Amino acid sequence: MTQVATHDATTALDLVPLAGRIGAEVRGVALSAALEEGTLAALHAALLRHKVLFLRGQQQLDDAGQEAFARRLGEPVAHPTVPSRAGTATVLELDSQHGGRANSWHTDVTFAHAPPKISVLRGVVIPPVGGDTVWANTVTAYDDLPQPLRTLADSLRAVHSNQYDYAQQRAPHEVSQEAVKRYREVFTSTLYETEHPVVRVHPETGERSLVLGHFAQRLQGFNSQDSAHLLAALQAHVIRLENTVRWRWRAGDVVIWDNRATQHYAINDYGDQHRVVRRVTLAGDVPVGVDGRPSLALTPAPRASAPAAAVAA
């Protein structure tokens, strides 16, 4: 048992760290809206420490239960452009048969002015082989930067956008022109561009973390070539194996992660097997850089209404 200190008590959680820098499995906790305050506070403290928490066997949760539990951690918010699952206010379904294969490193919804603070993901249909997800610690990635690169990163601002060519990450046989068109129509029904600091200060821990991933399109003040090289150099530090943890899903698993301190990648190695996961995200705050400057919303530009479909975000 690991004793996790909370603001008003110390609650014993059965925590099993899964990697040296990120991730812990929580055992013996059944998630629900009725979770005791002490256990909830202990989960929150463990999340800030480990960045990602994994819980097996949460079959008691359906869509409504997932939303209700997530509400205990913050304010659930719908995806900015992708319709929520029918019958829910904020559940986003990622279905492999409808484009839900997020096989590129990203932090959720960083094209928004205030990206979500926490994501709660539930495994619904899991292939017998493949379909793991990997998370990376963007705090230790920052800490590991050579001092000159860290100093440079502190001063950088990056433009994030949902105008992202997700289909380019797929093998050619996996992507039809119709699927690409449908995906882009939904995901870019409103175009967002937001300027974030490349290094944000975590509002709860004070830690510094890198705000990058596939929605980061360019660095302000640099030409396209220099921008691409610098973004690639910084991103390479995030996804070093030392900073990662990998989870082998089972149906009913729930994973909770701090979206302010992580990136993740859903491994697309399961062919035409079916995979469905459902996500609830919680409202976050506007990132603030080392210099105290907050992120800046550059656009949203509404497009014509798009058809409802499940896509990866």
Side-chain angles (χ1 to χ4, degrees):
M1 288 267 184
T2 300
Q3 299 291 316
V4 179
T6 68
H7 294 297
D8 54 2
T10 299
T11 299
L13 285 182
D14 189 357
L15 277 176
V16 181
L18 299 182
R21 294 183 171 186
I22 180 174
E25 183 178 348
V26 181
R27 297 177 178 174
V29 173
L31 301 178
S32 77
L35 209 60
E36 294 180 354
E37 287 293 339
T39 302
L40 194 71
L43 282 172
H44 183 71
L47 181 64
L48 293 180
R49 177 182 176 187
H50 294 284
K51 315 307 183 198
V52 190
L53 300 179
F54 304 94
L55 296 96
R56 296 277 191 200
Q58 303 295 311
Q59 281 87 354
Q60 76 280 359
L61 292 180
D62 56 11
D63 291 346
Q66 183 179 359
E67 282 187 305
F69 163 71
R71 193 170 291 112
R72 295 291 307 280
L73 297 174
E75 178 191 354
V77 290
H79 191 278
T81 61
V82 181
S84 298
R85 177 169 159 77
T88 74
T90 61
V91 174
L92 177 70
E93 181 169 274
L94 304 175
D95 187 330
S96 63
Q97 295 180 350
H98 300 285
R101 300 182 185 232
N103 55 318
S104 181
W105 283 103
H106 65 288
T107 296
D108 285 336
V109 199
T110 58
F111 52 84
H113 189 213
K117 68 175 183 178
I118 292 171
S119 292
V120 180
L121 191 65
R122 176 169 59 99
V124 179
V125 178
I126 302 300
V129 178
D132 297 0
T133 304
V134 184
W135 282 263
N137 186 333
T138 57
V139 172
T140 54
Y142 172 83
D143 291 341
D144 279 352
L145 293 176
Q147 184 59 55
L149 187 53
R150 195 185 312 163
T151 300
L152 174 62
D154 287 345
S155 69
L156 297 176
R157 310 273 292 189
V159 175
H160 293 238
S161 173
N162 60 329
Q163 186 82 310
Y164 167 72
D165 188 6
Y166 180 71
Q168 72 179 347
Q169 301 298 323
R170 305 290 188 81
H173 68 276
E174 295 175 334
V175 183
S176 69
Q177 290 302 312
E178 180 59 31
V180 171
K181 179 182 178 183
R182 184 168 61 250
Y183 169 81
R184 293 186 67 81
E185 283 177 344
V186 175
F187 198 73
T188 63
S189 56
T190 299
L191 294 178
Y192 288 84
E193 280 198 337
T194 300
E195 178 190 290
H196 289 304
V198 166
V199 180
R200 74 173 294 178
V201 179
H202 195 289
E204 294 189 73
T205 67
E207 296 171 316
R208 297 181 182 185
S209 65
L210 294 171
V211 185
L212 296 168
H214 69 211
F215 296 121
Q217 302 293 299
R218 65 185 185 276
L219 293 173
Q220 295 286 49
F222 291 84
N223 64 40
S224 59
Q225 186 175 33
D226 289 342
S227 174
H229 286 317
L230 281 169
L231 286 173
L234 292 167
Q235 179 67 17
H237 282 268
V238 173
I239 62 176
R240 288 180 58 192
L241 292 180
E242 291 87 344
N243 293 323
T244 65
V245 63
R246 178 168 176 161
W247 184 247
R248 168 88 276 268
W249 286 93
R250 299 175 193 160
D253 290 354
V254 170
V255 183
I256 307 166
W257 66 91
D258 187 340
N259 200 53
R260 302 160 294 187
T262 58
Q263 288 185 26
H264 57 282
Y265 184 114
I267 301 173
N268 183 17
D269 61 350
Y270 49 95
D272 60 0
Q273 298 176 92
H274 197 196
R275 181 182 187 272
V276 177
V277 293
R278 294 178 187 156
R279 189 184 81 196
V280 176
T281 55
L282 304 178
D285 50 359
V286 175
V288 175
V290 175
D291 59 3
R293 291 172 58 205
S295 300
L296 177 65
L298 302 178
T299 59
R303 284 188 171 180
S305 60
V311 296

